[in-house]
Amino acid sequence: MASLQTPTQLLSPPPSPAPQNLSTEINTATRSIHTRLNKLIVTRLPLALPPIAKTPELYAHGINTFGDIYLVFENCWRVLIAETDKSDAHDLSHDNKLRQWLSQLVPPGLWRSDAIKKDLEYLETATGTDLEAVTNEQLHSFTEHIYRQTREKPHVLVAYSWIMYMAIFSGGRWIREQLTESGPEFWGVNHESDKHDYWIHGTLRPGFTLFCFSGNRDGEDIKTDFKTRLEKAEELLTERERKDIIDEAQYIFEQCVAIVEALDKQLMTDLELVKTLAAREAKNGTSHLKMAPTRAVLPENATAQTDEPKSANFIRAIVVGILAVGFYQSYRWQYGDLERA
């Protein structure tokens, strides 16, 4: 007797895949370009740190360039907050609800503009550097885009907050360790009392407070607060708005790559030296980066090469990308062990 089979049309359809939250969607969509940026930065970073860099001057140019991204998108955000404060509290439209949520998304203590301005002021005084001497047309084009895009689609500010702030919390910790290794004298901190207050027992270190947070939790409470506030995106954003945010996230990474590549051309980067560093990185792997990344991958003749004008320009070029190395560790956190963040 033939066995009875359930008609196909009566079978339950396979369960739909669980929907991803917005932050995971951003991470997934930007994986490829994120990896590309990582490679650009990791192969340039070694020449930006001691023992080759003797003063914070080159670091200052890096913060001045990539810091502009923070200054611009945070300024756009503050404009939105000011406008929202004047809006009708009884307006129940989607647009008003969206703006109300955005105006409260960034927790106190997370804004980075004040820290960047203080760092730049300190570094200009300590080094006597004219930070406006190096300009980047690619950066100018990007900041113009930020002003225009956030005005037309304010929800894309979510992309800037997720990428740029999470880079501070993950890669920024690693960068801070490398900068701290240079010692207080490198940063112009020479008085013993200042060394004790700012270096040994403090976290707000002159010159790179961008990567520092007040309080005994060093910003971890702020990060948790931000991620909690971001959860409301799952119920508030439309599909179109989610797509806008993901598209903007990809664009942010593309622009960071373009900024570094534009500087390669502008300052005549020694690409042969970059290839040498990349080959060393491929041979040695990246496990050494936590301890001493700059010493482990330098070619034997790197110090001698820095005396040449071409290599000096190269150092300036890659230091402009030092802030973006936060994406390197951010990548490991976002894709390697997401739940630990």
Side-chain angles (χ1 to χ4, degrees):
M1 180 177 178
S3 60
L4 295 176
Q5 293 184 341
T6 304
T8 303
Q9 63 268 27
L10 296 183
L11 292 174
S12 299
S16 301
Q20 293 182 324
N21 60 33
L22 180 60
S23 57
T24 302
E25 284 191 78
I26 293 174
N27 295 344
T28 302
T30 58
R31 185 188 301 268
S32 177
I33 187 65
H34 201 162
T35 301
R36 182 182 175 193
L37 178 61
N38 292 342
K39 291 180 179 178
L40 280 175
I41 299 304
V42 169
T43 54
R44 287 156 173 75
L45 180 63
L47 296 185
L49 301 175
I52 292 179
K54 304 302 181 184
T55 74
E57 177 180 349
L58 301 177
Y59 165 84
H61 282 289
I63 292 300
N64 186 51
T65 299
F66 274 90
D68 271 356
I69 300 174
Y70 286 90
L71 296 177
V72 170
F73 88 75
E74 287 192 350
N75 180 64
C76 293
W77 213 315
R78 292 182 188 278
V79 169
L80 179 143
I81 292 173
E83 293 175 347
T84 302
D85 288 343
K86 299 176 182 178
S87 65
D88 183 359
H90 301 290
D91 183 355
L92 300 180
S93 66
H94 173 75
D95 181 70
N96 192 57
K97 289 180 180 179
L98 178 62
R99 289 174 177 271
Q100 290 287 345
W101 171 64
L102 287 171
S103 70
Q104 300 173 26
L105 180 58
V106 181
L110 185 53
W111 303 100
R112 296 290 86 193
S113 290
D114 287 346
I116 291 170
K117 292 175 182 177
K118 290 178 181 178
D119 286 343
L120 293 176
E121 182 180 358
Y122 177 84
L123 291 166
E124 282 188 319
T125 301
T127 65
T129 303
D130 179 9
L131 295 179
E132 301 306 317
V134 176
T135 59
N136 189 305
E137 289 302 318
Q138 188 68 41
L139 174 65
H140 177 73
S141 175
F142 184 28
T143 55
E144 288 295 315
H145 166 87
I146 296 173
Y147 280 119
R148 182 176 60 255
Q149 189 77 343
T150 58
R151 191 69 181 174
E152 296 174 358
K153 301 177 179 180
H155 48 278
V156 301
L157 285 167
V158 174
Y160 289 89
S161 64
W162 178 253
I163 291 174
M164 304 304 289
Y165 289 144
M166 291 303 103
I168 293 291
F169 281 118
S170 48
R173 300 287 197 246
W174 182 82
I175 292 175
R176 190 175 66 189
E177 291 178 8
Q178 312 312 308
L179 300 179
T180 301
E181 283 186 1
S182 303
E185 291 82 4
F186 178 80
W187 298 96
V189 179
N190 297 307
H191 296 294
E192 291 302 319
S193 60
D194 290 338
K195 292 179 184 179
H196 183 274
D197 293 341
Y198 292 108
W199 218 259
I200 299 176
H201 297 292
T203 57
L204 298 177
R205 293 174 181 144
F208 51 100
T209 60
L210 165 64
F211 304 110
C212 306
F213 294 88
S214 299
N216 55 15
R217 296 195 60 190
D218 196 20
E220 288 302 307
D221 51 336
I222 300 174
K223 181 179 75 173
T224 299
D225 188 5
F226 169 70
K227 293 173 73 174
T228 299
R229 298 180 187 210
L230 185 61
E231 290 175 359
K232 189 173 177 60
E234 308 308 322
E235 62 183 69
L236 180 61
L237 295 173
T238 66
E239 287 302 315
R240 177 71 256 180
E241 289 164 347
R242 291 174 73 96
K243 185 177 187 305
D244 288 341
I245 292 169
I246 294 169
D247 289 346
E248 191 71 13
Q250 292 175 309
Y251 186 78
I252 292 169
F253 278 110
E254 290 168 358
Q255 289 303 298
C256 288
V257 167
I259 288 170
V260 176
E261 291 180 339
L263 283 168
D264 280 345
K265 296 178 181 179
Q266 178 185 0
L267 300 177
M268 296 181 293
T269 296
D270 189 341
L271 296 178
E272 289 303 315
L273 185 54
V274 173
K275 290 180 181 179
T276 300
L277 292 173
R280 282 292 182 88
E281 192 64 39
K283 179 180 179 181
N284 297 335
T286 58
S287 60
H288 62 278
L289 286 174
K290 282 187 176 180
M291 299 303 297
T294 59
R295 284 78 171 172
V297 297
L298 284 177
E300 289 77 6
N301 61 344
T303 301
Q305 289 177 340
T306 59
D307 293 331
E308 300 175 4
K310 190 175 183 181
S311 293
N313 283 337
F314 169 68
I315 295 174
R316 181 183 295 274
I318 52 91
V319 176
V320 174
I322 190 172
L323 179 59
V325 77
F327 295 129
Y328 169 73
Q329 291 294 313
S330 175
Y331 177 84
R332 294 175 65 246
W333 163 66
Q334 290 171 342
Y335 301 128
D337 192 1
L338 187 61
E339 296 302 320
R340 287 192 304 178

